[in-house]
Amino acid sequence: MSSALLDSMGLGNLDLAYFLLGISGLTIFLFLILLSMLIVQIKKLSRLNERIEKFMGGKDAKSLEKEIADIFADNNFLKTAAEKNKKDIRRLFHNMECTYQKCGIIKYDAFRQMGGKMSFCLALLDKKNNGFIINSVHSSDGCYTYTKEISAGRCTLALGEEEQQALNIAIQEKE
């Protein structure tokens, strides 16, 4: 069988059966490729549908919209609460600097005759080493209490040996 078209292309002596067989083979090959691509796409669509079903959880669009709005409201509440907590913590830290955080105590026998170390010196300081020393002297006549103000770790009045020891203990205490 001879064709003018095949002759013009230089394929005039080609058997038409071989030509049709090649075309049908190519068609089957392309069909198989498209079929495999279709199967892959169907699997992807199936996984996407599973994810959508899991996300929706049997809810309609209105209830899902309400849940999302509730989540945003909760998120805003948490942000506000976190900011308030930050401010409160800053205020507490500021207040803590003024509280007595360091303490030094020395017990001693004031007159070396009574025994039992009934006298004591107590130093109370804040973070900046400001505070006071209480010196309680116990004697056979009674108990006498004295205070001395401490500013930046120093006292304007002369300190006794026990008072200086109590002050040193308090200053060296870690914060």
Side-chain angles (χ1 to χ4, degrees):
M1 178 176 218
S2 171
S3 166
L5 179 63
L6 290 177
D7 284 339
S8 68
M9 291 181 8
L11 302 173
N13 56 356
L14 180 67
D15 191 4
L16 193 56
Y18 291 125
F19 181 72
L20 290 177
L21 247 151
I23 294 289
S24 61
L26 182 64
T27 305
I28 290 172
F29 177 71
L30 291 175
F31 174 75
L32 291 176
I33 289 176
L34 288 175
L35 184 63
S36 64
M37 288 174 64
L38 180 64
I39 290 170
V40 167
Q41 292 303 318
I42 288 173
K43 283 187 177 183
K44 284 184 179 180
L45 183 62
S46 172
R47 281 191 296 248
L48 182 62
N49 281 335
E50 287 174 8
R51 289 176 65 194
I52 289 173
E53 281 299 317
K54 188 176 181 180
F55 177 71
M56 296 297 278
K59 300 179 187 223
D60 61 356
K62 282 193 176 191
S63 64
L64 186 61
E65 181 180 342
K66 182 186 178 317
E67 281 194 36
I68 291 172
D70 289 344
I71 288 172
F72 278 115
D74 290 345
N75 190 22
N76 287 336
F77 172 76
L78 291 174
K79 283 181 182 178
T80 304
E83 285 301 315
K84 182 187 177 305
N85 288 342
K86 283 180 188 177
K87 288 177 184 175
D88 289 345
I89 289 170
R90 277 190 222 110
R91 185 177 45 81
L92 288 172
F93 273 121
H94 177 71
N95 290 346
M96 283 295 294
E97 289 180 349
C98 302
T99 62
Y100 296 116
Q101 308 173 25
K102 301 176 185 182
C103 156
I105 188 164
I106 295 290
K107 292 184 74 172
Y108 65 98
D109 187 2
F111 298 105
R112 313 275 190 268
Q113 77 241 12
M114 297 202 46
K117 295 186 176 183
M118 301 297 286
S119 300
F120 69 91
C121 288
L122 174 66
L124 292 175
L125 304 175
D126 65 9
K127 184 177 182 178
K128 297 177 183 175
N129 292 330
N130 298 320
F132 59 90
I133 292 178
I134 296 176
N135 189 355
S136 179
V137 180
H138 186 75
S139 72
S140 58
D141 296 334
C143 185
Y144 303 96
T145 304
Y146 306 96
T147 61
K148 294 182 181 176
E149 185 177 355
I150 304 298
S151 180
R154 303 206 187 283
C155 183
T156 57
L157 303 172
L159 295 177
E161 179 184 336
E162 292 83 8
E163 291 171 329
Q164 188 63 53
Q165 287 176 353
L167 179 61
N168 291 342
I169 290 170
I171 287 174
Q172 292 172 1
E173 192 172 302
K174 299 282 185 212
E175 295 158 9

